Amino acid sequence: MSFAFAKDTVRKAISAHSALGLVCCALLYLTCVTGTAIVLYEEWQRFEQLDAPEMSQIEPAAVQRAIENVLESESDGPTTTHLYVHLPTADLPRTTITTDTQAVHVDAQGQIAAPEENAWAEFLLALHYRLNLPALYGMTLVGLFGAMIVALAVSGVVAHPRIFRDAFRLRARRADDVATMDWHNRLAVWTLPFALAISLTGAMIGLFYVSGGGLAAAGYGGDSDAALAPIFGDEPEGDSSPAGIPNAAPALAFMEREYPEVEPYYVILHDPGTAGQHMQIIAEHPRRLIFGEYYAFDAAGDFHGTVGLADGTVGQQLSASTYNLHFGNYGGLPVKIAYILFGIALSVVVATGTFIWLDKRERRGNASTRLRAAWWGLVAGVPAALVLTLVARLALGNTAPFVPIFWVACVLAVLLLVIAAQRSLSAQSNREVAASAGVRGIEAS
């Protein structure tokens, strides 16, 4: 009795272990698929709101008028602590202003045109960045999955000494686990540099909260701002006394005059309407991987220097390069297309890796019918659920409940295939019982 109980306990533990492994693979697959989709983040925003005003550039005076119009529209509400102006770029040729309470598009004259409505693109970004979880937990989990991809890539190369020699050996015509393994190994080799670059930068971005918090606790008395100041600069001391609206026009004119080789794409107003207010302009440097350099200005538009992301320490430049390298925000459309193709290949590698694991289980005599069905449900369910949320955006508008729609669709896809597999197993078992009974009847007669 005790032996049977122990054996049953071990069997259940193995099943739980397999299910847990499948959940980890599922989240890893989800991260790869959403990462592929988010490469077109700007294009998705334009698709969501086709009627938003677009322009290739906007005059500094119009930017200032837009800032004043937005702040005036909030005069009766709480004071915003930050105001962000997205300037027109090649990928997103729109001027958008975001505050603590709203986000609006403005036209080329600086007039408020319409509220920004890109909830689906933001949902997709949050799904990839943090799995729709709170930032600390979600980004840490995604960062750990980035580290997992690094480990899988390195261990995969070590475990297959002939992996590079067989880089173009593909027995794809075979409809068995050999073809699955060939697709897995070939795609893994072809995408290895991409996988390492994406996973390393993803781990760095995802573990930002943990590493930054640890650094702050260890060397800066828990002050996160002080810990990050050597990389991203420090904040001037605040002063909440009332003051006039800051003037962004001279700052933008200064950038055009003194730094014509860079491309400003963001204006940030810190604590607007207070005596401690100041401005920053983020400008992209062509043919550089850094996401940009911070140019600091006071409220009157007088220049106060740069942070050093473009020409500072190696650590600063490396930190500023992780975002573009991870998301493919450099090189225009050709680079985005390459990232999409490599992202699809990486998703296939993760999917086939789990199928290979299931094949090995079955060769050892461990039935994996329900696990295989669950994995097929997830592999097909994730892209189908993303399409369903996009359909909901088009049908229900910007307020559609994307998060529950996505997760419910994924769970239903898995459950439906598992139920179908269970019914197939039951039918097969009934056939076997019937056949066995028939044989015994013949023998008895």
Side-chain angles (χ1 to χ4, degrees):
M1 176 72 71
S2 61
F3 176 76
F5 176 77
K7 188 175 181 180
D8 185 61
T9 302
V10 170
R11 187 183 298 112
K12 290 181 178 179
I14 292 174
S15 298
H17 176 76
S18 300
L20 183 60
L22 202 63
V23 170
C24 291
C25 293
L27 293 178
L28 185 60
Y29 173 75
L30 172 61
T31 303
C32 292
V33 172
T34 54
T36 302
I38 206 62
V39 171
L40 297 176
Y41 176 62
E42 291 84 4
E43 287 75 9
W44 289 126
Q45 292 184 70
R46 298 180 70 182
F47 174 76
E48 278 194 79
Q49 201 169 8
L50 297 173
D51 58 347
E54 296 194 343
M55 63 215 74
S56 59
Q57 61 182 7
I58 185 170
E59 294 298 322
V63 173
Q64 182 60 28
R65 281 195 298 272
I67 292 172
E68 293 172 356
N69 288 333
V70 170
L71 290 177
E72 174 63 27
S73 71
E74 298 184 351
S75 59
D76 295 332
T79 302
T80 187
T81 58
H82 289 85
L83 183 147
Y84 306 89
V85 183
H86 174 272
L87 302 174
T89 63
D91 290 333
L92 191 60
R94 297 175 175 179
T95 302
T96 308
I97 295 183
T98 304
T99 69
D100 294 347
T101 58
Q102 65 173 329
V104 296
H105 296 297
V106 300
D107 60 23
Q109 289 71 45
Q111 301 300 318
I112 297 175
E116 183 185 43
E117 296 182 344
N118 60 346
W120 187 82
E122 295 300 324
F123 152 76
L124 184 61
L125 184 64
L127 181 59
H128 176 69
Y129 240 105
R130 49 185 177 85
L131 301 174
N132 299 131
L133 296 172
L136 175 61
Y137 305 108
M139 290 185 68
T140 301
L141 187 59
V142 171
L144 292 175
F145 284 130
M148 186 186 298
I149 295 178
V150 176
L152 290 172
V154 173
S155 61
V157 172
V158 174
H160 300 83
R162 295 176 48 177
I163 195 168
F164 291 106
R165 185 168 60 182
D166 294 341
F168 297 97
R169 184 186 181 194
L170 187 63
R171 293 163 288 186
R173 293 183 179 181
R174 297 183 56 162
D176 56 14
D177 56 347
V178 173
T180 302
M181 187 173 297
D182 274 1
W183 274 115
H184 177 83
N185 291 339
R186 299 303 83 81
L187 289 175
V189 173
W190 299 338
T191 62
L192 182 60
F194 173 81
L196 288 175
I198 294 302
S199 56
L200 281 171
T201 54
M204 292 173 63
I205 296 170
L207 297 175
F208 170 78
Y209 278 96
V210 174
S211 58
L215 178 63
Y220 294 88
D223 189 344
S224 299
D225 292 337
L228 298 177
I231 300 176
F232 298 106
D234 54 2
E235 286 272 345
E237 188 173 348
D239 184 346
S240 59
S241 303
I245 296 177
N247 192 354
L252 289 169
F254 176 89
M255 294 296 298
E256 291 181 2
R257 183 176 66 254
E258 301 297 330
Y259 294 94
E261 72 281 2
V262 304
E263 300 172 6
Y265 67 94
Y266 239 92
V267 179
I268 306 174
L269 273 58
H270 298 265
D271 301 313
T274 70
Q277 63 191 346
H278 59 100
M279 293 182 290
Q280 288 178 310
I281 294 178
I282 306 177
E284 181 181 2
H285 286 231
R287 295 179 298 278
R288 294 288 303 277
L289 272 178
I290 59 171
F291 68 82
E293 173 65 279
Y294 286 93
Y295 295 81
F297 296 85
D298 60 23
D302 295 326
F303 182 56
H304 281 233
T306 63
V307 169
L309 300 182
D311 55 4
T313 65
V314 173
Q316 283 182 294
Q317 296 184 54
L318 285 175
S319 297
S321 300
T322 57
Y323 298 94
N324 282 350
L325 184 58
H326 184 76
F327 291 106
N329 295 334
Y330 62 94
L333 186 60
V335 171
K336 290 191 174 187
I337 293 174
Y339 266 61
I340 291 172
L341 294 176
F342 283 131
I344 293 173
L346 186 56
S347 301
V348 173
V349 169
V350 174
T352 53
T354 304
F355 283 125
I356 292 171
W357 173 68
L358 293 170
D359 292 337
K360 289 181 179 178
R361 277 176 52 90
E362 292 174 350
R363 286 196 296 270
R364 292 195 298 265
N366 297 319
S368 302
T369 304
R370 284 180 288 269
L371 284 175
R372 184 180 293 274
W375 184 246
W376 266 118
L378 194 284
V379 168
V382 167
L386 288 177
V387 172
L388 185 60
T389 57
L390 182 56
V391 171
R393 167 65 179 89
L394 299 177
L396 304 177
N398 203 52
T399 58
F402 303 114
V403 174
I405 289 174
F406 174 81
W407 290 105
V408 169
C410 286
V411 171
L412 284 178
V414 172
L415 288 178
L416 288 174
L417 287 190
V418 170
I419 291 172
Q422 182 62 46
R423 288 181 175 177
S424 178
L425 283 175
S426 299
Q428 180 180 351
S429 178
N430 291 335
R431 287 193 298 269
E432 291 174 353
V433 170
S436 177
V439 170
R440 288 197 299 271
I442 293 174
E443 292 176 347
S445 64

